[in-house]
Amino acid sequence: METDCESDFFSQDETDDENEYYDSKDFVYEEEQPNDRYYCPQPLVPEGVENNISGALQFAENFFLRYGNVVPNFYIGSLKDAIDEVFIETDDVKLKPLIIYLHHDKSVCSNVFCSQVLCSELVVAVLNRNFVIWGWDMTTKSNRSRLLETMECYLNASCLQHLNRVMKSSVDHFPLMLFVTRDHRTGDTVLDLIVGNCSQEEAMTKLVDCLR
């Protein structure tokens, strides 16, 4: 059943060759217009952060300070480390799906989504028990560029195409939660995504479906 937050990004015809290499110049981001109606706090990942590991740590710490005690256990480490943890099998570790959480403070949906959906006790319990979740702040141009360059190195063109579709449309699709899996034949695949206007019920449905 299609929900209010159901994205049409997965139903669009693929006009590009999925094996084509994508780099950061392929991403077109909607230009941000000044908007005094919405208060924009300091970014969760400060500009000029030393590296992705430091950025992920500051993201987790600042997210906790902003949204309270009931928050997801964001992975502390680089995106590469998070990918290795969920995609490299070992005999004694059960693999969990990877969620890449992308925040944007200039989206009108950010505060409501974080406080009422992402940080609800039910959603947090499911995330912490069943997923590895890695977070990044896309609010500033420098942090967007850093993440896109990183994703080019460790995720394939199919994943980047899905992200590009969102970024071509509107900043108000953020926050985003991308469910990423790896298939031995097709490589990295975005199974689904949650966009910023999802309700708690809709988000829970997608989380449960991803685990089936």
Side-chain angles (χ1 to χ4, degrees), residues 73 75 82 85-86 96-100 127 130-134:
N73 292 332
Y75 184 87
E85 177 150 328
V86 299
K96 296 181 178 181
L98 173 65
I99 291 179
I100 300 175
L127 287 173
N130 299 289
F131 295 89
V132 171
I133 179 168
W134 186 87

Side-chain angles (χ1 to χ4, degrees), residues 44-209:
L44 297 173
V45 178
E47 287 195 89
V49 68
E50 182 178 357
N51 53 51
N52 288 352
I53 298 176
S54 177
L57 174 60
Q58 292 188 63
F59 179 93
E61 291 177 345
N62 290 332
F63 194 95
F64 173 83
L65 290 173
R66 187 186 295 183
Y67 293 106
N69 295 328
V70 181
V71 297
N73 292 332
F74 289 103
Y75 184 87
I76 305 301
S78 67
L79 178 58
K80 178 183 183 300
D81 292 337
I83 290 171
D84 288 345
E85 177 150 328
V86 299
F87 291 155
I88 296 180
E89 296 188 35
T90 60
D91 293 335
D92 57 344
V93 177
K94 181 180 179 181
L95 300 184
K96 296 181 178 181
L98 173 65
I99 291 179
I100 300 175
Y101 172 76
L102 302 178
H103 189 85
H104 201 308
D105 277 324
K106 292 185 179 179
S107 168
V108 297
C109 298
S110 286
N111 283 333
V112 171
F113 181 84
C114 289
S115 60
Q116 298 183 13
V117 180
L118 183 60
C119 296
S120 68
E121 291 187 0
L122 184 58
V123 170
V124 167
V126 172
L127 287 173
N128 291 347
R129 186 182 307 118
N130 299 289
F131 295 89
V132 171
I133 179 168
W134 186 87
W136 194 258
D137 190 346
M138 302 284 279
T139 305
T140 66
K141 184 176 181 180
S142 62
N143 284 338
R144 290 197 297 271
S145 297
R146 180 192 288 269
L147 176 66
L148 295 176
E149 290 169 1
T150 301
M151 293 180 75
E152 288 170 12
C153 296
Y154 304 116
L155 297 175
N156 67 13
S158 175
C159 289
L160 300 180
Q161 284 175 330
H162 288 302
L163 180 58
N164 193 25
R165 289 195 191 113
V166 183
M167 295 177 71
K168 281 181 176 179
S169 52
S170 171
V171 69
D172 289 331
H173 280 115
F174 286 86
L176 298 176
M177 297 174 68
L178 285 76
F179 298 81
V180 182
T181 187
R182 176 168 291 175
D183 184 275
H184 294 298
R185 295 172 300 170
T186 60
D188 307 322
T189 303
V190 177
L191 287 178
D192 205 342
L193 60 81
I194 292 175
V195 295
N197 66 343
C198 270
S199 67
Q200 178 182 325
E201 181 180 358
E202 291 163 342
M204 280 297 302
T205 298
K206 287 179 176 285
L207 290 172
V208 172
D209 286 346

